[in-house]
Amino acid sequence: MKALVAVKRVVDFNVKVRVKSDGSGVDLANVKMSINPFDEIAVEEAVRLKERGVVSEVVAVSCGVTACQETLRTAMAIGADRGILVETDAELEPLAVAKLLKALVDREQPQLVLFGKQAIDNDCNQTGQMLAALAGLPQATCASKIEIADNCATVTREIDGGLETVRLTLPAVVTSDLRLNEPRYATLPNIMKAKKKPLDTVTPSQLGVDISPRLTVLDTAEPAQRSAGVKVPDVAALVAKLKTEAKVL
């Protein structure tokens, strides 16, 4: 059984992002980049399934610039067997990524496709669902538990009212939530081994996929500054501020 895991290169979650002065996007100059945390959880889950003997091969896939090879090496240091980079300098939208991954799914024929539920840079939460629609595969999103047996995946996912359990016939697409697991740290020996693992590079044109943009970013702005909180001496003062300043009463 083969598992395909999609990983994205994003600004490290510890970095405070800055918007470009012209509002055209986020300034990425000299900014630390890393694997998307939700995707890292997906890689960890695939590796755990391999350790349990459920999965025989874990393939990490990324789409983007040449530097995404570092992201794939990180995934391979966690335990992925090989990597595939769809290399392009174009700005990729979720639909374009889904089409690229659909082409790779057709080529690799995995029984399980794992994603993070969203990327922390754009928070779209779309690519997994789009891939499932394009490939005609069953899907389960926001997974907090995954069990594989009898050519089916039983996925527990969090919903507003509690937990929902769904059963999918493989092959299927599953997106991971934060509570699915806690990724392991990549040890130095595994980091060195990852450098020798195979990493293939293809282009969108070789996959026969059109990645032309369909959206245009008109403006990017930082959130408005919040005013500092204040202490009030009594309930009457609180009610007065809620009426005159907050205007919620």
Side-chain angles (χ1 to χ4, degrees):
M1 176 176 172
K2 182 188 296 185
L4 189 75
V5 188
V7 297
K8 185 177 182 181
R9 180 175 181 263
V10 299
V11 176
D12 189 87
F13 69 93
N14 288 312
V15 174
K16 179 176 173 56
V17 297
R18 302 184 306 273
V19 175
K20 294 179 181 178
S21 58
D22 61 359
S24 60
V26 174
D27 187 3
L28 300 180
N30 301 316
V31 172
K32 181 183 178 183
M33 308 292 284
S34 63
I35 185 173
N36 178 47
F38 289 99
D39 295 337
E40 188 175 14
I41 291 169
V43 174
E44 172 67 24
E45 189 65 20
V47 173
R48 291 187 184 189
L49 289 171
K50 181 183 176 183
E51 291 172 345
R52 294 203 297 266
V54 177
V55 169
S56 58
E57 183 183 26
V58 178
V59 183
V61 178
S62 189
C63 305
V65 296
T66 305
C68 291
Q69 291 184 13
E70 300 173 7
T71 306
L72 290 171
R73 294 294 179 192
T74 300
M76 288 188 279
I78 294 173
D81 298 294
R82 59 187 175 93
I84 302 174
L85 172 62
V86 182
E87 188 173 357
T88 175
D89 293 328
E91 192 73 25
L92 293 174
E93 297 170 359
L95 180 58
V97 175
K99 289 180 177 180
L100 292 172
L101 293 174
K102 194 312 187 143
L104 289 176
V105 166
D106 290 342
R107 190 175 78 171
E108 294 288 332
Q109 294 295 308
Q111 285 70 50
L112 181 64
V113 184
L114 286 168
F115 284 81
K117 69 172 184 177
Q118 65 196 75
I120 62 172
D121 54 357
N122 56 23
D123 277 338
C124 282
N125 191 357
Q126 295 177 344
T127 309
Q129 293 89 323
M130 288 178 171
L131 171 62
L134 291 172
L137 297 176
Q139 62 173 310
T141 58
C142 306
S144 58
K145 184 178 180 181
I146 302 174
E147 296 178 346
I148 307 292
D150 300 326
N151 200 39
C152 291
T154 303
V155 179
T156 301
R157 55 191 304 270
E158 296 187 4
I159 58 176
D160 290 341
L163 298 176
E164 178 184 63
T165 301
V166 295
R167 187 176 177 88
L168 312 174
T169 302
L170 299 179
V173 175
V174 179
T175 67
S176 64
D177 203 351
L178 285 174
R179 292 176 180 81
L180 181 58
N181 61 54
E182 184 175 344
R184 70 194 71 186
Y185 288 102
T187 62
L188 182 58
N190 287 336
I191 292 173
M192 300 305 294
K193 290 177 183 177
K195 294 181 179 180
K196 298 181 180 179
K197 290 183 178 180
L199 197 162
D200 298 328
T201 301
V202 296
T203 63
S205 59
Q206 289 174 329
L207 295 175
V209 177
D210 176 20
I211 58 171
S212 301
R214 289 167 170 77
L215 304 174
T216 301
V217 176
L218 301 180
D219 186 45
T220 304
E222 294 185 5
Q225 293 290 333
R226 293 185 178 181
S227 57
V230 295
K231 291 184 178 181
V232 293
D234 51 40
V235 175
L238 173 61
V239 172
K241 284 187 175 291
L242 290 175
K243 285 182 177 180
T244 59
E245 295 183 15
K247 299 185 185 302
V248 294
L249 292 179

